[in-house]
């Protein structure tokens, strides 16, 4: 590895392609031949505004974003979107249905992990009389009743008839659950169960799977958003793909009794001013643009979908081999498991610490699981190459081979004499 780098399986911020980082280092000194570094140049300069248009075009082409949707570049991460989606979608609902009693404005949330649970919690804070309805809670299906370990089956969903918002998180970074892309797969998102007849108020958090594979039924979404810091760039940039009917005049909604919406969270000023009503995250946008160019040269999202499919298959195969030997245990039910974040335990006293130390000795870092679920988490984002994944898989097999075989418990001395 050049520059003394190791293999980074961290969950975010996470690995970026070395070629991109080398180019970005040049750009810090001299952005696109301007003689000014990217962190120093005006965001209103013609060079930067042209660059920004290029970033937008890359996303639009690579994800086949339809003309009905506007691409916005925002700040505040996924966390700011937990609030923004509620405020903008409630404002839209109020403009459409000004006389509805507040409690009849319903926000549907599908809970499949800690990030969707956090989003629902924020919705409850901001609902101001509207109703937050949990359309499905995967925890209730787990053996303990408390673990996010699966995507719910179709029978577990109860959507409201005319909600103001329907929310899901496509890939749960902490628990390692992800919706399947094949509509015939029981773990796919249940588009078939959603209310029909109107433009769907469907909002997807795609933070940890953005650009890793095509987005199923993107055109049917009101909003898809993603923090950049997993697959496409540094922290500080949030990409939101917003259907135009969801870019509303929040002040008009406030005049009808809605909550005032902070300007920085309203979509309309960003849509009107090409994502620059104020200073955008210039450097994060720059690196994201470089990552997207790099990705386009390789074949875009389709390329990553094929590579990511192979990567995850290899890691889960090693995990299954470890399970068969009683050394490893996956956190997620097969069929619901994430391509991006593979979460598992290493069984036995001190075994996880040994696994992590052994990995680090071989130059692999960032494998420690999130503090809320523990264990191991291997994040296989786009910039983690197949060769790096092969190295992890070889290490997993080596660890499994060397693990002491569990002996059946011997009868105690007392039991022998009974
Ligand atoms: C799926 C998902 N949603 C939301 C967030 C919150 O994002 P941020 O830390 O950018 O606010 C994260 C963070 O890791 C995430 O993984």
């Amino acid at each position: 590895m050049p520059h003394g780098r190791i293999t980074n399986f961290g969950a975010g911020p996470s690995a970026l392609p070395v070629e991109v980082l080398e180019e970005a280092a040049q750009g810090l000194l001299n952005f696109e031949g301007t003689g000014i570094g990217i962190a120093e140049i005006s965001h209103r300069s013609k060079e930067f505004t042209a660059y920004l248009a290029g970033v937008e075009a890359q996303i639009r082409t690579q994800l086949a974003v339809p003309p009905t949707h506007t691409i916005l570049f925002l700040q505040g991460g996924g966390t700011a979107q937990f609030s923004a989606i509620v405020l903008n979608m409630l404002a839209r609902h109020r403009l459409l249905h000004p006389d509805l009693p507040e409690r009849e404005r319903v926000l549907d949330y599908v809970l499949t992990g800690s990030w969707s649970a956090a989003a629902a919690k924020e919705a409850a804070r901001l609902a101001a009389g509207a109703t937050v309805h949990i359309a499905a809670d995967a925890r209730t299906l787990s053996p303990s009743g408390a673990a996010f370990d699966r995507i719910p089956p179709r029978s577990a969903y109860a959507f409201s008839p005319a909600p103001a918002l329907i929310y899901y998180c496509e890939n749960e970074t902490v628990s390692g659950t992800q919706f399947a892309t094949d509509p015939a797969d029981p773990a796919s998102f249940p588009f078939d169960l959603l209310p029909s007849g109107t433009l769907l108020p469907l909002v997807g958090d795609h933070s940890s799977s953005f650009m890793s594979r095509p987005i199923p039924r993107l055109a049917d979404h009101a909003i898809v958003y993603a923090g950049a810091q997993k697959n496409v760039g540094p922290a500080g940039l949030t990409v939101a793909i917003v259907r135009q009917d969801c870019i509303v005049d929040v002040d008009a909604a406030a005049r009808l009794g809605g909550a005032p919406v902070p300007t920085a969270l309203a979509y309309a000023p960003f849509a009107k001013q090409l994502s620059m009503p104020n200073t955008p995250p210039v450097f994060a946008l720059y690196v994201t643009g470089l990552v997207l160019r790099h990705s386009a040269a390789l074949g875009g999202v389709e390329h990553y979908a094929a590579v990511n499919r192979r990567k995850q298959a290899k890691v889960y195969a090693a995990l299954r081999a470890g399970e068969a030997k009683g050394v490893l245990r996956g956190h997620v039910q097969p069929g619901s498991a994430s391509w991006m974040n593979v979460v598992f335990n290493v069984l036995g006293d001190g075994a996880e610490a040994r696994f992590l130390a052994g990995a680090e000795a071989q130059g692999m870092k960032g494998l420690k699981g999130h503090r809320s679920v523990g264990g191991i988490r291997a994040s296989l984002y786009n910039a983690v190459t197949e060769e790096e994944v092969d190295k992890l898989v070889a290490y997993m097999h080596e660890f499994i081979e060397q693990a002491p075989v569990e002996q059946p418990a011997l009868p105690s001395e007392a039991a022998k004499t009974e």
Side-chain angles (χ1 to χ4, degrees), residues 76-80 82 115 169 171-173 205 207-208 227 229-230:
T79 304
F82 294 169
W115 289 114
C169 177
N171 181 65
E172 285 282 359
T173 324
D205 174 359
S207 290
S208 47
Q229 68 268 25
K230 319 286 187 188

Side-chain angles (χ1 to χ4, degrees), residues 11-13 76-82 114-116 118-119 167 169-174 205-209 225-230 235-238 341 370 377 381:
T79 304
Q81 289 313 299
F82 294 169
S114 55
W115 289 114
S116 44
Y167 184 91
C169 177
E170 202 272 338
N171 181 65
E172 285 282 359
T173 324
V174 172
D205 174 359
H206 286 240
S207 290
S208 47
S209 56
Y225 70 82
Q229 68 268 25
K230 319 286 187 188
L237 168 67
T238 314
N341 311 99
H370 189 269
R377 170 172 53 175
Y381 298 128

